[in-house]
Amino acid sequence: MNAGEQAGVLRQRRQRVETAWSGIDVDGPVLIPASLPIPIDGTDQFHEFHAHPEFQYLTGVAEPGAALAWERERGWTLFAPSLSVEDLVWMSAPPSADALAKATGVGRSVDRSELAGWLESQRGRGLVLLGSRDIETRATEYGVEAWSTLEAVVDEDATDRLGKALAKLRRAKDAVEMDRMTRAVDAAVEGHLAAQRLARHGLTERALQIEMEAEFFRQGGARTAYGSIIGSGPNSAILHGTPGERVMSDGELVLIDAGAEIEGYASDVSRTFPVSASFTTIQRELYNVVLAAQQEAIAAAGPGVEYKSLHLQASATIAQGLVDVGVLRGSVDELVAADAHALFFSHGLGHMLGLSTHDCGGYLEGRVPEDRFGLAYLRADLPLQPGYVVTIEPGVYFVPALLNDPARRERYAEMVNWDVVDGMLDFGGIRIEDDVLITTDGCDVMSGALPSAAAEIEAIRRDALGVTSD
Ligand code: GLY
Ligand code: MN
């Protein structure tokens, strides 16, 4: 997509927002700061810059210190930052207001020095303040010398209402977003394959991380979408474990949950594979339970389908699988109703994906996460619609902290075969996660090029290890 086409899609995106906001009875102007870089103590540099997603959604760019404004009467104005001569000695020049106008399609792009005057002209009107709120405490860094004397009053109720309308629109991805997300997912797939080909007995988790992330970056990734999660052996049960110097061994599992970020958009993919050329019997049994839960959810996902019902179906499949291997006992309905499965599947089926790894808009208006162990970590509860991108990522884990907790052992005394669990406390965990676009008649698995069937994973591992026979 060329720059002109991209700017056209961005204009349509803002038009949809404008239409939604115009229907809400709010008088005040809207200001959406991009956010400022955060200094790193003891250096003259800054943490990696993350633009506020609301600014990035409305402009398509991530420009530190920029701000976008919207007025009912005049439409959009983009305030483009410029640097002093002294700053330009140390930092690259930001794009000019004209360059930002071309990239974003915001016709009225002006130097940020005009922001103070714009705010002055709004004096007396309640301000809707979306995007980063750092302007309230760091106004001078936006070139606004006297925020306090402007007597700017943020209308919190209006901010909440317009923010919710924006989050709702951000659920379905447009063509520019899908282009970026597709590239982010493709980069993730290549990075995962690189790690699956490299892993072997004696290697550290950190060594896999280095090669996987290098592949993300070679494929266009600007950075990782979140801290890469890599766990070998028992570490694979740590849901958000950081890769470290642990050395992996034959017979263990490796769980990798990692994605690349491209032009602000995240991918988020998980696979679990054996360090050896093949899974052990129990590893394969549980792997296939998780895979069945994931494949059923993918087969059922489509417009109008409640994401929570997919989660509950996956919970039932996992409960049945755990009964089949002798970990749980009892009827699946009773086990799921009592959250016994959540001792082993202690997170939600997945989440919205987009500008953030856990993108906004996951809960339908009026719904909130349930205060129940088996549902509390569900990050999305809404009917799916075409254009939504969600992850589908069931898992099974043996988390010693959870499984050694006396209160849980007592509560689930009848439902869990604790002697079996005691023999599996160092099993680790399995997660299989794909990024899924909801279409008009079902869904597309965007990360489907990365194999997930046990036999396919083993074929990659055999090839990687030079093992020719089964
Ligand atoms: N991939 C990390 C998460 O979904 O929380
Ligand atoms: Mn995820």
Side-chain angles (χ1 to χ4, degrees), residues 9 26 29 44 49 51 64 181 212 270 309 326 357 386 412 418 424 428 438:
V9 173
V26 167
D44 288 338
F49 179 68
M181 293 191 78
M212 176 188 70
S270 303
S309 72
T357 309
Y412 294 106
W418 289 107
M424 295 182 72
I438 306 303

Side-chain angles (χ1 to χ4, degrees), residues 257 268 351 358 391 393 433:
D257 176 342
D268 180 358
H351 48 84
H358 294 176
T391 68
E393 50 174 312
E433 173 177 30

Side-chain angles (χ1 to χ4, degrees), residues 3 23-24 69 78-79 104 132 158 186 214 231 240 297 308 326-327 330 375 389 409 421 429 432 454 464:
I24 299 173
L78 182 61
F79 297 96
T104 64
S132 176
D186 290 349
H240 283 179
K308 184 157 93 177
V327 168
L375 289 168
V389 179
R409 287 216 171 208
V421 168
I432 307 170

Side-chain angles (χ1 to χ4, degrees), residues 18 28-30 69-77 108 118 121-122 125:
E18 209 165 340
V30 184
W70 181 75
E71 298 152 272
R72 202 175 282 271
E73 315 78 29
R74 293 209 312 157
W76 303 94
T77 306
R108 193 169 37 255
W118 180 86
S121 72
Q122 308 297 339
R125 299 174 79 187

Side-chain angles (χ1 to χ4, degrees), residues 19 37 57 62 152 169 266 302 314 329 409 438 460:
T19 304
Y57 178 74
L169 285 171
R329 55 176 178 240
R409 287 216 171 208
I438 306 303
I460 293 172

